[in-house]
Amino acid sequence: MTLVAVWKVQGDRLMAISDSRIVGNHGVLTEHGPKLLPITISCKQPSESGSFDREVFRADVGFAYSGATLSALATHALSNTFLGKLIGSPGAPPPSMADIARFVAGAGAEYMREVGSIAQQGAFFAAVVFGWCHRENRLRVFKLAPRTTTPLSVDFHEKELLEISLERPASQSVIVIGSSPGLFEQAIEDELASCRERGETHPIVAYDAPKRVLRRLIADNEDEKVGGTIQQAWATAGGFQIVSNMEPITPTPPSTRNAGLFLLGFDTFDLAGVGEYLVSSEGR
């Protein structure tokens, strides 16, 4: 299990965070589990040759999950593969975020039914699919959750999020999934209330409240299924992007570097190069 939060901030941006612990039947399997992932949508239409080799649309949206890792990652892999190979008639518009969420829900239902034939409810997961809808020119967020019908299906519902603010309840701005969502939601609400009491008014105080809360829940070990480090990402009109965490470190002589950019707990400055390139990402 895990904790995931997606919320809206000023300027048409969705923020997302999760912890990185993956737990199995016998304890913690890894503290570096990716739970915020991109899904690439690519649409091609016929060129003058008649082949579907003219790409007319490409965009990334976000996929976040909580629950059965095998079912969730298989759903992501299938969705990312198939949605990256779409073809259509000349002039066809790109799929909407609702279309994308519907496809991911269908893929999730297939894997939960298949894995669930042995693992039963150990195959279930919830997810959030979010990003910029190029059909409606706005950010949209969908929550996916299994429904134990026969056969099992996955419901997807859109959540309209308002900008997170000290002046409104967190429930209007934040969507949470995970092993203890109520704990997380209440902790965010308490954090916003504390900011108000201290007279803190800058918008960044509210924008970063969920991140501060999750960091504290991990440090205090409030839920044994939640741990590791914080993974974060955002979605804008420009697409979905994984974002590094800048954290202080103790310099290792002869280096005097006292900060690192961490992805899933790994300092990207310490990673080996890939050919002539280095791993890099925006950080905050």
Side-chain angles (χ1 to χ4, degrees):
M1 297 296 283
T2 190
L3 279 177
V4 171
V6 177
W7 68 101
K8 188 175 183 181
V9 300
Q10 188 179 40
D12 280 333
R13 186 181 301 268
L14 291 170
M15 302 292 294
I17 54 170
S18 75
D19 73 310
S20 62
R21 176 174 289 174
I22 294 178
V23 178
N25 292 332
H26 302 290
V28 176
L29 298 176
T30 180
E31 299 281 36
H32 306 282
K35 300 175 182 178
L36 303 177
L37 300 163
I39 293 177
T40 299
I41 296 89
S42 173
C43 301
K44 293 183 178 181
Q45 296 175 4
S47 65
E48 293 181 357
S49 69
S51 299
F52 287 92
D53 55 5
R54 183 171 67 94
E55 186 173 68
V56 297
F57 178 78
R58 174 176 287 265
D60 290 337
V61 301
F63 172 86
Y65 73 90
S66 170
T69 304
L70 172 58
S71 302
L73 291 183
T75 296
H76 171 264
L78 182 72
S79 299
N80 196 48
T81 300
F82 284 10
L83 291 173
K85 296 181 177 297
L86 300 178
I87 60 173
S89 302
S96 69
M97 279 300 301
D99 296 327
I100 295 166
R102 183 180 295 107
F103 183 92
V104 176
E110 289 290 338
Y111 278 112
M112 281 189 261
R113 285 195 290 265
E114 184 174 352
V115 178
S117 65
I118 295 176
Q120 299 180 348
Q121 291 194 4
F124 291 178
F125 71 93
V128 181
V129 176
F130 60 101
W132 186 263
C133 181
H134 289 263
R135 291 281 288 273
E136 298 192 6
N137 288 318
R138 64 185 179 96
L139 292 166
R140 301 178 72 183
V141 183
F142 292 84
K143 180 179 178 180
L144 283 59
R147 181 156 52 98
T148 53
T149 54
T150 304
L152 178 144
S153 62
V154 173
D155 290 332
F156 67 99
H157 298 288
E158 185 168 10
K159 170 76 171 180
E160 296 285 351
L161 296 180
L162 302 176
E163 177 188 337
I164 193 168
S165 166
L166 298 176
E167 284 73 45
R168 65 171 55 97
S171 59
Q172 296 180 5
S173 308
V174 185
I175 182 170
V176 175
I177 59 173
S179 54
S180 48
L183 172 69
F184 197 7
E185 290 170 356
Q186 186 57 53
I188 295 171
E189 195 67 68
D190 293 344
E191 174 70 12
L192 294 174
S194 296
C195 293
R196 287 194 298 271
E197 292 173 1
R198 293 192 297 267
E200 298 173 351
T201 59
H202 196 283
I204 195 67
V205 174
Y207 293 173
D208 276 348
K211 181 179 177 180
R212 293 195 303 274
V213 169
L214 182 56
R215 192 186 299 276
R216 188 163 60 243
L217 292 176
I218 291 173
D220 294 344
N221 198 30
E222 291 281 351
D223 184 330
E224 62 182 10
K225 296 179 181 179
V226 176
T229 187
I230 286 181
Q231 184 183 13
Q232 63 179 349
W234 61 49
T236 66
F240 172 85
Q241 186 172 9
I242 301 292
V243 184
S244 301
N245 287 291
M246 177 166 279
E247 305 283 356
I249 63 172
T250 301
T252 302
S255 171
T256 59
R257 182 167 63 88
N258 62 1
L261 282 176
F262 289 84
L263 285 172
L264 293 168
F266 297 108
D267 189 345
T268 57
F269 289 120
D270 291 336
L271 299 178
V274 183
E276 301 298 317
Y277 293 84
L278 299 174
V279 174
S280 176
S281 76
E282 293 190 26
R284 63 186 304 272

